[in-house]
């Protein structure tokens, strides 16, 4: 049996030296050292040995096993190093190649225009006032000289939550809240930006949700000429020093007198084109002197102070500024459209 074990050692070591890969190495390990391997087969004859021979043969078998396992371990380590080196070579990253650009967001064009409008009016000494989007009927209508069943309410068909609670249709309620918070003190000089909601069908120029910025000034001897000068300065800051405005008589329940404000058509410079319907002017906002009843609702004496107010849709200002023909582009989340404004 000792001779068979020695012959097994020589045979195994010889074949292990010629093994080419890890799979072949594993096959040889199973062949010689597995449960049904050659070494196990030889050791099954241990029962026929005498008590004196068994320790000697057992020691030889252990030596043979140890020799074979040592070569297998050495070979396996070599195969592992080779596999690691190959993987590192295959997975090498060329750090000199340009990387993939990471997409970076930008300010939405509506937010960009809102911030620009805010900056212009802050530069004129205005502060920013905000209020709730879910409003009471009193602040949204009644305090603005629009009592229940007033026909002008039809122009602001609303999303009602209850009979007395609704989504605000304008940012004018913020003006009333600001006046009440001032407790009759002057001057009041604020702009009120925010979202508003009306039951409009979405089309190229309308949306059920849009953005407004309204302005309010209250103090002694505030005149219509102050309003016109303020709006002219705003328009020229927003669209360029060559732009002019005109005021056309209009009607709003919360101002008296009231006016629509037109700006020189940027497309034709005032000479007339399809964009301005050959008038040379494009309407951008509404304004007027604060109605005496609105002053009273806000806690002011109309015999002591006067004021003016104006309101504009941010979307309309943006449409004209960037030459966009459809308001729905602002809400479609199309990266091709929004990406145009990233570097403006």
């Amino acid at each position: 049996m000792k001779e068979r074990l020695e012959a097994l050692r020589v045979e195994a070591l010889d074949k292990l030296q010629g093994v080419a890969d890890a799979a072949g190495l594993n096959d040889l390990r199973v062949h010689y050292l597995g449960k049904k391997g050659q070494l196990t087969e030889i050791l099954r004859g241990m029962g026929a040995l005498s008590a004196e021979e068994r320790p000697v043969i057992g020691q030889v078998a252990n030596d043979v096993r140890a020799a074979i396992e040592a070569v297998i371990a050495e070979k396996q380590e070599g195969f592992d190093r080779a596999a690691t080196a190959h993987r590192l070579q295959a997975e090498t990253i060329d750090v000199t190649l340009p990387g993939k650009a990471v997409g970076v967001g930008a300010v939405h064009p509506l937010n960009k225009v809102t911030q620009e409008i805010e900056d212009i009016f802050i530069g004129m000494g205005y502060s920013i006032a905000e209020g709730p989007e879910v409003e009471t009927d009193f602040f949204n209508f009644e305090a603005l000289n629009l009592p229940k069943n007033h026909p002008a309410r039809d122009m602001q068909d609303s999303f009602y939550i209850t009979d007395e609670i609704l989504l605000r249709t304008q940012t004018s309620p913020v003006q009333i809240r600001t006046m009440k918070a001032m407790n009759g003190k002057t001057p009041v000089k604020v702009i009120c930006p925010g979202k508003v909601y009306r039951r409009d069908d979405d089309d190229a120029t309308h949306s059920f949700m849009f953005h407004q910025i309204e302005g309010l000034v209250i103090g002694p001897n505030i005149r219509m000429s102050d309003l016109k000068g303020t709006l002219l300065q705003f328009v020229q800051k927003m669209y360029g020093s060559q732009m002019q405005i005109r005021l056309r008589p209009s009607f709003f329940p919360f101002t008296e007198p009231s006016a629509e404000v037109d700006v020189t058509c940027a497309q034709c410079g005032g000479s007339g084109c399809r964009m301005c319907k050959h008038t040379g002017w494009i309407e951008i906002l509404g304004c007027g002197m604060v109605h005496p009843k609105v002053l009273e609702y806000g806690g002011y004496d109309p015999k002591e102070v006067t004021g003016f107010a104006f309101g504009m849709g941010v979307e309309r200002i943006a449409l004209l500024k960037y030459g966009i023909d459809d308001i729905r582009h602002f809400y479609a989340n199309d990266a091709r459209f929004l990406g145009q404004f990233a570097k403006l």
Side-chain angles (χ1 to χ4, degrees):
M1 184 176 287
K2 182 177 180 181
E3 290 75 12
R4 291 179 62 190
L5 289 172
E6 292 295 341
L8 180 66
R9 182 208 305 259
V10 173
E11 177 186 329
L13 296 182
D14 181 60
K15 289 190 176 181
L16 286 171
Q17 292 302 321
V19 70
D21 52 42
L25 181 65
N26 186 62
D27 290 342
L28 289 177
R29 180 187 64 78
V30 172
H31 177 72
Y32 289 108
L33 304 180
K35 291 181 179 181
K36 298 181 180 180
Q38 294 296 306
L39 181 60
T40 302
E41 185 67 26
I42 294 174
L43 293 177
R44 284 175 180 168
M46 291 278 287
L49 298 177
S50 65
E52 294 79 10
E53 291 179 311
R54 286 177 187 171
V56 176
I57 298 302
Q59 183 61 48
V60 174
N62 288 338
D63 293 343
V64 171
R65 180 184 293 276
I68 295 174
E69 287 179 342
V71 175
I72 289 175
E74 181 183 355
K75 286 288 185 178
Q76 185 64 54
E77 184 179 353
F79 291 141
D80 289 344
R81 286 197 302 268
T84 300
H86 176 75
R87 187 169 64 253
L88 290 175
Q89 181 64 33
E91 297 175 0
T92 297
I93 299 174
D94 187 348
V95 296
T96 65
L97 291 175
K100 294 182 179 179
V102 178
V104 179
V107 178
H108 191 280
L110 290 180
N111 289 337
K112 188 185 295 288
V113 171
T114 297
Q115 292 168 4
E116 188 171 349
I117 295 172
E118 291 175 347
D119 288 344
I120 292 172
F121 282 103
I122 288 173
M124 289 192 277
Y126 287 70
S127 59
I128 298 175
E130 296 180 332
E133 294 179 21
V134 179
E135 193 51 278
T136 66
D137 186 88
F138 173 79
F139 281 108
N140 195 79
F141 289 125
E142 293 186 43
L144 295 167
N145 200 31
L146 280 162
K148 294 186 185 299
N149 300 319
H150 193 290
R153 288 197 181 200
D154 293 341
M155 299 173 63
Q156 299 184 23
D157 197 6
S158 314
F159 292 100
Y160 275 90
I161 299 172
T162 70
D163 289 343
E164 296 297 326
I165 303 294
L166 70 155
L167 298 182
R168 67 182 181 188
T169 62
Q170 53 203 348
T171 54
S172 302
V174 183
Q175 298 182 22
I176 299 295
R177 291 180 177 274
T178 300
M179 285 191 280
K180 285 186 172 295
M182 292 292 290
N183 291 319
K185 297 177 182 179
T186 59
V188 176
K189 200 172 183 182
V190 297
I191 56 171
C192 315
K195 296 177 183 176
V196 298
Y197 306 85
R198 298 183 187 179
R199 292 179 60 187
D200 281 331
D201 293 329
D202 287 0
D203 57 29
T205 57
H206 297 85
S207 172
F208 72 92
M209 184 281 296
F210 57 100
H211 299 76
Q212 269 192 345
I213 294 183
E214 299 193 14
L216 174 69
V217 174
I218 296 176
N221 302 315
I222 301 297
R223 299 167 296 181
M224 195 77 172
S225 58
D226 299 320
L227 170 60
K228 184 175 181 180
T230 298
L231 295 179
L232 178 60
Q233 184 172 350
F234 161 69
V235 166
Q236 292 183 343
K237 288 284 187 180
M238 177 62 66
Y239 296 115
S241 58
Q242 78 284 359
M243 305 298 280
Q244 297 297 318
I245 63 171
R246 72 174 184 182
L247 275 63
R248 292 180 289 105
S250 186
F251 168 77
F252 302 111
F254 30 81
T255 54
E256 181 61 38
S258 304
E260 300 281 2
V261 180
D262 299 332
V263 65
T264 308
C265 177
Q267 187 76 23
C268 63
S271 60
C273 65
R274 292 181 59 186
M275 184 174 179
C276 61
K277 299 180 181 178
H278 302 284
T279 65
W281 301 94
I282 294 179
E283 177 188 328
I284 61 167
L285 58 88
C287 65
M289 301 300 292
V290 180
H291 196 287
K293 288 187 177 181
V294 175
L295 288 173
E296 291 175 352
Y297 278 123
Y300 289 88
D301 184 350
K303 295 180 180 179
E304 299 292 330
V305 298
T306 54
F308 65 73
F310 56 85
M312 67 189 79
V314 177
E315 284 82 351
R316 177 175 284 271
I317 300 297
L319 289 175
L320 294 176
K321 183 175 180 64
Y322 297 125
I324 300 168
D325 60 357
D326 195 322
I327 193 175
R328 291 169 292 191
H329 291 318
F330 291 126
Y331 310 119
N333 296 326
D334 188 333
R336 296 170 299 177
F337 170 78
L338 297 175
Q340 302 175 76
F341 305 93
K343 297 182 180 180
L344 294 180

